[in-house]
Amino acid sequence: GLMGVQWTLRSKLRERLEELQIINRQYSLRAFARDIDMSPAALCEILKGKRKVSAKLAAKVVVHAGLEPNEAKKILRLFNKQP
């Protein structure tokens, strides 16, 4: 359902942020927000589950976040199945 899709995207974004922080310890949530073209506040709300992500926003985020192409496709497929 919708909550599962939101949770999947959230966990992938968290995972990606952690990967980038392993590569560069200086890399912050603010930098990640900038790189995915989103305000830090909005990203923070998404990661905390306080803001829902639309299919359109998900499409932008998975591309800019640099998720693996297969993961990105899987997530977008889940969003496109939503009513």
Side-chain angles (χ1 to χ4, degrees):
L2 184 59
M3 293 317 290
V5 175
Q6 297 291 325
W7 183 88
T8 301
L9 179 61
R10 248 195 334 270
S11 60
K12 285 295 167 196
L13 288 176
R14 265 198 216 103
E15 227 171 74
R16 184 66 182 136
L17 177 57
E18 285 167 13
E19 285 170 7
L20 293 166
Q21 288 173 331
I22 288 166
I23 296 165
N24 174 5
R25 281 195 310 220
Q26 303 297 309
Y27 194 78
S28 63
L29 184 121
R30 189 174 289 275
F32 191 45
R34 179 199 62 221
D35 292 347
I36 61 176
D37 193 24
M38 179 181 286
S39 78
L43 177 59
C44 196
E45 286 180 355
I46 288 167
L47 292 176
K48 288 180 178 175
K50 292 183 177 177
R51 178 183 287 218
K52 285 198 169 53
V53 179
S54 67
K56 186 178 174 185
L57 181 59
K60 182 177 96 166
V61 167
V62 297
V63 169
H64 290 299
L67 296 182
E68 304 250 323
N70 287 342
E71 285 184 338
K73 272 186 210 147
K74 231 182 278 177
I75 289 171
L76 295 178
R77 220 176 290 129
L78 290 172
F79 267 94
N80 292 329
K81 283 182 184 172
Q82 296 308 306

